Every structure is written in C-alpha cells, then in structure tokens.
C-alpha cells in the first residue's frame, strides 16, 4: 500500500492570526477558523523581478522576498490534519492560501 498526496492550488485570500513571537496560530479560510496543530515551517524565496519588471520608487524597501509558511491545521481536536501552504508577495499585506496538501 502506498500513500498518496493530493495537492490543490488555490491562491485564495486568507486571514492569519499570529502569536506574539510571530508564528501562525490560526488561519481563517472559507468562513472557518483552522487552528495550527504543529510547529510551522517558515521560509523566503526571491521574486523573479527581471521577469515581472516590477518598478517601484527608490527607498520603498524589499520588493523581491516572497514569504511562505507551511502549517498543519485542523478544525477541531478530532478532525484530520491538513497542510496549508501560505504565501505573501512583496509589497502585499494580504496572505494567500497557495495550496492545500492532503496526506
């Protein structure tokens, strides 16, 4: 028997509640609040600015770092874990649910 992983790409806007230390605590998606149930993974990638040809005024700040969080979430203590991959693009304050990965 082999395990399969199903991934659904969304790019849906979400709201994230963070702890005082800056880690995700809960994600509001599709009218529901999903509690973070395991230690989240955090990383950054670089935007391909040479492809997007994004122009910004001098002094605006970081316009190339894309922030990611991968969190395992659940609706309640008995519900199955789901993995959400969250993304925030440079110059945006809106978080997006990039993908849901079901194990």
């Amino acid at each position: 028997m082999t395990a399969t992983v199903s991934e659904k790409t969304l790019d849906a806007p979400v709201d994230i509640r963070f702890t005082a230390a800056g880690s995700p605590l809960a994600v509001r998606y599709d009218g529901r609040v999903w509690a973070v149930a395991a230690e989240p993974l955090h990383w950054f990638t670089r935007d391909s600015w040479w492809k997007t040809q994004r122009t910004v005024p001098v002094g605006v700040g970081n316009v190339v770092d894309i922030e990611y969080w991968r969190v395992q979430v659940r609706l309640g203590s008995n519900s199955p874990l789901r993995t959400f991959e969250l993304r925030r693009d440079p110059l945006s304050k809106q978080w997006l649910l990039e993908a849901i990965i079901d194990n």
Side-chain angles (χ1 to χ4, degrees):
M1 182 169 146
T2 59
T4 60
V5 175
S6 128
E7 184 171 334
K8 182 176 166 184
T9 303
L10 302 168
D11 283 341
V14 294
D15 294 318
I16 304 174
R17 181 183 300 166
F18 289 92
T19 66
S23 293
L25 181 64
V27 178
R28 181 182 300 276
Y29 165 64
D30 199 26
R32 298 168 146 178
V33 176
W34 298 77
V36 174
E39 188 68 28
L41 179 63
H42 188 221
W43 74 96
F44 290 86
T45 63
R46 295 290 208 158
D47 186 24
S48 303
W49 57 267
W50 58 91
K51 291 180 183 175
T52 61
Q53 299 180 356
R54 181 180 302 148
T55 59
V56 294
V58 173
V60 166
N62 184 344
V63 296
V64 296
D65 284 337
I66 302 169
E67 186 175 6
Y68 286 89
W69 284 97
R70 181 172 286 165
V71 294
Q72 289 191 304
V73 295
R74 62 174 29 135
L75 286 172
S77 58
N78 294 327
S79 69
L81 284 174
R82 299 185 86 183
T83 302
F84 284 4
E85 193 161 287
L86 308 164
R87 181 186 85 235
R88 189 174 57 119
D89 292 323
L91 302 176
S92 175
K93 296 195 184 293
Q94 178 65 60
W95 283 93
L96 298 173
L97 175 57
E98 183 171 90
I100 297 174
I101 305 160
D102 290 324
N103 297 336

